[in-house]
Amino acid sequence: VQLQASGGGSVQAGGSLRLSCAASGGTFSRYFMAWFRQAPGKEREFVAAISQSGDNTRYADSVKGRFTISRDNTENTVYLRMNNLKPEDTAVYYCAASAGSWWLSTNSMIRGGTYNYWGQGTLVTVSS
């Protein structure tokens, strides 16, 4: 499976962006999908995940209420809508796909090793 992330850019604090991640080369609906991010000088961290059907989602506490993950299995695309952006959201955002079961523990869900495929990343810069 190949993943292509897009939609990053520069915005002011309080602004919004929508990231997209287009999948190809596999059966998209088999995978639960996630977004991770890595800020300069920091470790990669989990942001959000969505189940294969799209009926279930999980979020990091830092983005709950501001970010929304969704997917369109007919378009083989997963999205991350980011509202009320803060300077601390500045990072390279990566999409990832896992062929495993959605019903993992939280510890497993947030581990990068759980995911089989990764996109190339898209940069989000939020200025104050």
Side-chain angles (χ1 to χ4, degrees):
V1 174
Q2 292 79 48
L3 302 176
Q4 181 73 38
S6 61
S10 297
V11 296
Q12 291 191 323
S16 298
L17 282 174
R18 189 180 78 159
L19 306 183
S20 300
C21 175
S24 61
T27 304
F28 181 67
S29 59
R30 289 185 55 210
Y31 300 92
F32 74 82
M33 302 295 295
W35 288 94
F36 285 74
R37 66 186 181 185
Q38 187 166 20
K42 295 188 176 181
E43 292 187 354
R44 182 177 58 193
E45 65 174 356
F46 172 82
V47 175
I50 188 166
S51 63
Q52 287 86 338
S53 66
D55 291 340
N56 300 285
T57 57
R58 296 188 196 180
Y59 294 93
D61 287 344
S62 59
V63 305
K64 278 181 182 176
R66 299 189 298 122
F67 289 13
T68 302
I69 189 170
S70 62
R71 67 189 293 161
D72 184 338
N73 285 349
T74 65
E75 296 291 335
N76 293 347
T77 302
V78 61
Y79 303 98
L80 186 69
R81 176 67 180 183
M82 306 184 294
N83 293 330
N84 191 21
L85 282 160
K86 303 176 181 180
E88 52 264 43
D89 295 317
T90 294
V92 176
Y93 284 71
Y94 300 89
C95 57
S98 174
S101 169
W102 167 255
W103 303 107
L104 298 173
S105 67
T106 298
N107 283 343
S108 294
M109 180 71 67
I110 66 175
R111 282 197 311 115
T114 294
Y115 298 85
N116 308 100
Y117 304 100
W118 292 83
Q120 85 290 359
T122 185
L123 177 63
V124 172
T125 304
V126 185
S127 58
S128 57

